[in-house]
Amino acid sequence: MTDDERAIRALVEAWMACSKAGDLSALLDLMTDDVIFLTPGGKPFGKEAFAAATKNKKNVAIEGRSEVQELCIFGDWAYLRNYIDMTATPLDGGAPLHRTGYALSILRKEADGRWRLARDANLLAAEKS
């Protein structure tokens, strides 16, 4: 495994850990400033909208795992296909929301040598009972 592959896999692990911890600042640091997110049925959105949406979910406990299915690196760019299984449980006792599915991400190695998320197509869907 190359140093770049290890760094990208560490980014994926950090994303899951920061999501679980509710650490928005750390999550934002894992993204490029021009990041774009794509979700089913929604318009593309960037870092500012991600931050606003995440702040509105601070009373939610996140549990999940991500399994890298494919990782290809091309110089300072890489793409990652992974399978995600996550549950968001409202801390007020509401019903948990379980989502599973695939995401396709484009990552960019920035001037500071760190890999960051640049584009993300998240295809998670509510798991059917």
Side-chain angles (χ1 to χ4, degrees):
M1 187 179 310
T2 68
D3 289 343
D4 284 328
E5 184 175 348
R6 273 190 288 283
I8 291 169
R9 288 178 182 274
L11 182 150
V12 172
E13 289 175 19
W15 187 281
M16 297 304 287
C18 293
S19 295
K20 182 178 181 176
D23 190 343
L24 177 58
S25 177
L27 278 172
L28 295 174
D29 191 46
L30 297 174
M31 304 173 202
T32 62
D33 288 337
D34 65 344
V35 68
I36 299 290
F37 292 93
L38 305 169
T39 57
K43 291 184 179 183
F45 59 93
K47 197 171 195 174
E48 187 175 308
F50 178 93
T54 301
K55 284 179 185 174
N56 291 334
K57 296 177 184 171
K58 60 183 166 187
N59 291 324
V60 175
I62 304 287
E63 290 291 332
R65 66 178 177 82
S66 177
E67 182 181 316
V68 174
Q69 303 285 308
E70 182 178 9
L71 172 58
C72 294
I73 301 168
F74 308 93
D76 290 343
W77 290 91
Y79 74 82
L80 168 73
R81 182 175 56 87
N82 60 347
Y83 179 79
I84 301 170
D85 183 329
M86 59 87 52
T87 302
T89 305
L91 298 177
D92 66 4
L97 177 61
H98 187 203
R99 294 185 180 269
T100 59
Y102 292 88
L104 181 63
S105 304
I106 299 174
L107 304 120
R108 183 171 66 223
K109 192 176 198 179
E110 298 207 297
D112 65 0
R114 290 186 54 208
W115 286 95
R116 288 187 173 86
L117 181 67
R119 301 291 183 269
D120 189 70
N122 184 315
L123 305 174
L124 274 64
E127 189 173 79
K128 296 178 182 174
S129 329

